[in-house]
Amino acid sequence: DQQVKQNSPSLSVQEGRISILNCDYTNSMFDYFLWYKKYPAEGPTFLISISSIKDKNEDGRFTVFLNKSAKHLSLHIVPSQPGDSAVYFCAATAGYGGATNKLIFGTGTLLAVQP
Amino acid sequence: DAGVIQSPRHEVTEMGQEVTLRCKPISGHNSLFWYRQTMMRGLELLIYFNNNVPIDDSGMPEDRFSAKMPNASFSTLKIQPSEPRDSAVYFCASSWTDQLYEQYFGPGTRLTVT
């Protein structure tokens, strides 16, 4: 029972164009969402996050959008660069600010940015 | 800072053997997590510790898996006996509890059980 779903296993984008990675969730209790990036032979690294009280958070070339009614979030990368080629994991958690910091991850999307 | 350290990086073993994976969290972090990555299920949380105490082990697949954290700078994940379906990449991550969800991951251990 996947509570966090990334339905696109892979995405290919031209350098300089926009990359849009999507994530859906089923648990309405989730109130904080994160994206992690993973290069081969390395562990995931934190990229950007968003609280459920917001619908958008921006950090340089990376923007995360949250649509709570649709239980959907997306990560936009503009412009895409070859160094962005990696696996991107969406993660969610319930109880932000509480005693637990348990993350539920999706299956990941492999982004390939073509020069 | 050396980051989260995991050993070994690769482990190949035969079915039925005991496997022990090791993790050294970032100094000062008080939460530690063990994850397993597979193609089908992505990153699954197996167990996490807060101040060396196991908080949630609901992700541990079965009794063959056990984890310990004897002190703030060391944790182990043991599989006994190992089975081919345990083949995966196992990650350890750590964080400060008040930093909530920004977890720092180690490079992972790729386990192959033949």
Side-chain angles (χ1 to χ4, degrees), chain B residues 25-85:
Chain B
I26 291 173
S27 177
H29 282 189
N30 57 355
S31 294
L32 183 138
F33 309 82
W34 282 102
Y35 290 90
R36 177 170 69 176
Q37 183 191 4
T38 61
M39 290 295 291
M40 289 299 294
R41 301 181 65 85
L43 273 168
E44 295 178 275
L45 178 66
L46 300 177
I47 185 171
Y48 83 90
F49 296 83
N50 206 31
N51 294 319
N52 311 339
V53 176
I55 301 300
D56 185 342
D57 65 355
S58 59
M60 296 286 260
E62 45 197 277
D63 291 346
R64 297 185 296 106
F65 286 69
S66 63
K68 293 182 179 180
M69 191 164 186
N71 57 63
S73 59
F74 184 65
S75 177
T76 59
L77 178 68
K78 184 179 292 186
I79 308 172
Q80 165 66 14
S82 57
E83 296 182 4
R85 60 190 167 128

Side-chain angles (χ1 to χ4, degrees), chain A residues 2 32 34 36 38 41-44 46 89 93 95-98 100-103 105-107, chain B residues 9 31 33 35 37 40-43 45 48 56 58 91 95 97 100-103 105-107:
Chain A
Q2 284 288 121
Y32 196 68
L34 306 90
Y36 277 75
K38 183 186 178 304
E42 295 182 10
F46 169 74
F89 289 99
T93 187
Y96 179 61
T100 178
N101 48 4
K102 180 175 174 177
L103 289 176
F105 282 86
T107 52
Chain B
R9 293 293 308 276
S31 294
F33 309 82
Y35 290 90
Q37 183 191 4
M40 289 299 294
R41 301 181 65 85
L43 273 168
L45 178 66
Y48 83 90
D56 185 342
S58 59
F91 289 101
S95 73
T97 301
L100 294 173
Y101 311 110
E102 295 179 22
Q103 299 175 13
F105 283 75

